[in-house]
Amino acid sequence: SAASDVYKRQFVHFKKQIMNDNTNKRIDFVDLTKGICIILVVMAHIDGAFAKFDESSMISCFRMPLYFFISGIFFKSYEGFAGFLIRKINKLLIPFTFFYITAFLLKYVVWKIAPGVFHLPVQWSEMLVIFHGHDLIKFNPPIWFLIALFNCNILFYLIHFLRNKHLNLMFASTLLIGAAGFYMGKYRFELPFYMDVAMTALPFYAAGFWIRRYNFFLFPHRFDKWIPLFMAMALTIMYFTATTPGMRTNSYTGNIAQFYIAALAGIFMIMLFCKRIKHISVISYLGRYSVITLGIHGPILHFGGQFVSRYIHNEWVLSFTLLFVTLAICIVLTPFFLKVMPQVVAQKDLIKIR
């Protein structure tokens, strides 16, 4: 009947409005999760004593998948592909370009002023490294993630429309694309601009998108009293399935089931932990502006590591000193970026959207 159709349209509109409100609502513990994640990333790039944490694979199995998962939580299609694309250029490609060029120029200038001091034989040809498969960006290694995440966003945008009428096809497409990316890594078939990495990461991104639709996970719920039990279960799963993935190179030591099961278990464990804790000022601040720490900690470690290592020779003391010094510098510099150049650190749009 006509009245029934009107009622259904109103209900659908009301449901969409609720979902949009939830999507726009800031979730404090997600900032804490991002903060812990970026700290783990910094620790991985310090290496040294922290490399021992990765020997058991318990941390490395979820560190980068967690970043893709969190990004999926905040997915929105906006007003269409053009608007979506411009927003992702503002949020990901512009910060990548800024951190890519400035890190290279910084090392090049230092090398010219004091050649040999920091062991920096920098060549202009290194600016083309991004076009060479998955080669390490030596002058700022961590920022490869921004390109991979951009591609993951585009991939998910192209398939997420299937959820309205072909939900099973959407799930199947997500899993198929993820499996294709994983086995490309296994057989060392590389795609440019980390597209194969984005394919492997797509199931994590999609999982984040769907979790946002279920309030029992992100918002207070009666199930929260069982969080310690759920964390223990996730930790047990990780213990038996964790492997050491190399997401930048799209290389994996375990089988596909181990990779995804261990990563998802680690993701849920750390997010449940953060849901219980909710907020830690310094770590949550790092999480909220994690793109800045991601973009600048590589050059800080390069210069700071060589300086600090001259005076500290104990492996553990050196690693923790570098961690605290690097994070402290990132915290100090973050307000500068936010005030002086927010457009290049994903806080304001450089390309205006009509």
Side-chain angles (χ1 to χ4, degrees):
S1 66
S4 177
D5 291 340
V6 171
Y7 172 77
K8 287 180 180 179
R9 286 197 297 269
Q10 290 176 340
F11 176 77
V12 169
H13 175 75
F14 176 70
K15 185 177 179 181
K16 287 182 178 179
Q17 190 174 29
I18 292 175
M19 290 174 64
N20 287 335
D21 289 343
N22 284 341
T23 303
N24 292 328
K25 189 186 298 183
R26 189 159 201 95
I27 308 167
D28 285 342
F29 88 87
V30 173
D31 283 338
L32 178 59
T33 306
K34 289 167 63 181
I36 291 176
C37 187
I38 193 63
I39 290 173
L40 293 176
V41 169
V42 175
M43 290 171 65
H45 292 136
I46 289 173
D47 201 18
F50 293 145
K52 295 178 173 61
F53 291 148
D54 281 352
E55 289 176 0
S56 65
S57 308
M58 294 285 282
I59 293 178
S60 61
C61 75
F62 71 85
R63 182 171 48 224
M64 295 315 298
L66 175 59
Y67 240 138
F68 286 100
F69 180 92
I70 294 173
S71 300
I73 290 176
F74 297 105
F75 173 86
K76 289 176 65 176
S77 57
Y78 297 101
E79 66 278 359
F81 182 71
F84 180 83
L85 181 63
I86 292 173
R87 284 178 169 86
K88 295 309 167 185
I89 291 173
N90 280 326
K91 296 293 185 183
L92 297 170
L93 292 191
I94 288 174
F96 170 82
T97 303
F98 172 74
F99 293 129
Y100 188 81
I101 294 175
T102 54
F104 175 84
L105 292 177
L106 173 64
K107 291 193 174 184
Y108 187 83
V109 169
V110 171
W111 176 56
K112 284 295 186 181
I113 295 175
V117 175
F118 289 101
H119 310 292
L120 284 172
V122 183
Q123 305 295 329
W124 283 102
S125 60
E126 291 184 41
M127 287 291 289
L128 302 176
V129 67
I130 191 61
F131 301 104
H132 299 162
H134 299 342
D135 287 358
L136 183 69
I137 304 173
K138 294 179 181 179
F139 46 89
N140 200 349
I143 59 174
W144 67 268
F145 171 76
L146 296 174
I147 293 184
L149 181 57
F150 175 83
N151 289 328
C152 196
N153 272 274
I154 301 302
L155 278 176
F156 188 74
Y157 184 93
L158 295 176
I159 68 169
H160 89 282
F161 292 108
L162 294 171
R163 78 186 193 277
N164 294 325
K165 295 182 179 180
H166 305 285
L167 186 59
N168 290 337
L169 181 58
M170 175 185 168
F171 285 136
S173 299
T174 300
L175 296 176
L176 183 61
I177 292 171
F182 179 88
Y183 284 109
M184 282 181 184
K186 277 290 188 181
Y187 293 102
R188 306 315 310 146
F189 182 82
E190 294 184 357
L191 294 179
F193 303 107
Y194 308 99
M195 179 57 75
D196 49 332
V197 179
M199 293 169 64
T200 306
L202 185 64
F204 302 123
Y205 190 98
F209 171 80
W210 282 107
I211 280 294
R212 186 63 189 252
R213 270 62 192 163
Y214 299 99
N215 292 351
F216 74 90
F217 188 81
L218 294 181
F219 300 100
H221 196 276
R222 65 179 184 276
F223 291 137
D224 290 356
K225 63 183 178 182
W226 299 104
I227 283 179
L229 176 61
F230 295 144
M231 288 178 59
M233 292 170 59
L235 189 61
T236 302
I237 293 172
M238 288 172 62
Y239 180 80
F240 288 105
T241 59
T243 59
T244 304
M247 291 205 74
R248 177 184 65 82
T249 56
N250 203 34
S251 57
Y252 310 97
T253 55
N255 61 50
I256 190 169
Q258 285 179 295
F259 170 64
Y260 284 109
I261 291 173
L264 288 171
I267 287 168
F268 286 113
M269 183 193 71
I270 200 71
M271 292 200 71
L272 287 171
F273 170 79
C274 292
K275 185 177 184 181
R276 174 58 66 93
I277 302 300
K278 292 185 176 60
H279 185 83
I280 301 175
S281 297
V282 173
I283 300 178
S284 297
Y285 182 80
L286 282 168
R288 182 166 187 173
Y289 304 111
S290 60
V291 67
I292 297 175
T293 300
L294 179 74
I296 67 176
H297 80 268
I300 292 172
L301 282 174
H302 182 87
F303 293 110
Q306 296 187 49
F307 178 78
V308 174
S309 62
R310 296 178 186 177
Y311 304 98
I312 301 176
H313 304 291
N314 180 277
E315 188 179 34
W316 283 101
V317 175
L318 174 61
S319 294
F320 276 105
T321 300
L322 281 174
L323 177 63
F324 291 130
V325 168
T326 301
L327 294 179
I329 293 174
C330 290
I331 290 171
V332 169
L333 291 180
T334 293
F336 168 79
F337 284 106
L338 296 178
K339 184 175 182 179
V340 176
M341 50 184 74
Q343 294 85 358
V344 298
V345 291
Q347 301 307 308
K348 288 186 178 180
D349 292 336
L350 183 63
I351 304 175
K352 301 301 180 182
I353 302 170
R354 293 183 180 179

